[in-house]
Amino acid sequence: REPECEFDIPDTEGFSQEELLRALDDLLSKILQEGIAFEPNSHDVPPSNLRLIRAIARALKAFPDAIILIEGHTKGKPEENSDMKRKLSQARAEAVRTAVRME
């Protein structure tokens, strides 16, 4: 069994919308410090990253009205960007979205 990604959900009672978004942003930044690592040329979320997926899902459940943007990235130099890399980035973002929704 993999270790849990430990973090505290802040008490947001009385927060303004701006404060809620800042709290969620801070929380997700803390959770994603190490990022989600994909195998080269793959969009499958590796099992070693499932604790991060669970942590993201837990955080988002605490902020049910939040709308977030999930982006995927690939390695390489900007001049090496290609349609294939853009498609892989999109597939990675969709894979994370699907995995978080399944939690």
Side-chain angles (χ1 to χ4, degrees):
R1 183 160 148 51
E2 75 228 19
E4 291 298 317
C5 185
E6 292 297 323
F7 61 92
D8 293 322
I9 301 287
D11 179 7
T12 58
E13 186 175 335
F15 275 25
S16 68
Q17 187 65 26
E18 184 178 319
E19 290 168 321
L20 285 170
L21 292 176
R22 194 171 327 118
L24 177 58
D25 187 53
D26 291 347
L27 190 56
L28 290 175
S29 292
K30 190 181 304 182
I31 292 168
L32 290 167
Q33 279 180 342
E34 63 189 70
I36 296 175
F38 288 88
E39 292 295 321
N41 301 316
S42 174
H43 66 273
D44 296 325
V45 177
S48 61
N49 286 289
L50 291 180
R51 68 181 182 82
L52 288 176
I53 296 296
R54 287 187 191 107
I56 294 166
R58 182 174 162 233
L60 293 176
K61 287 175 185 174
F63 295 84
D65 297 328
I67 297 172
I68 64 163
L69 173 67
I70 298 174
E71 296 180 339
H73 299 278
T74 59
K75 290 185 178 179
K77 298 175 185 167
E79 62 270 15
E80 295 172 344
N81 286 346
S82 65
D83 190 48
M84 184 180 84
K85 281 190 173 187
R86 281 187 283 283
K87 287 179 181 176
L88 179 58
S89 294
Q90 182 63 36
R92 286 176 172 180
E94 288 295 327
V96 170
R97 177 180 174 264
T98 299
V100 168
R101 291 180 103 184
M102 291 176 61
E103 282 299 319

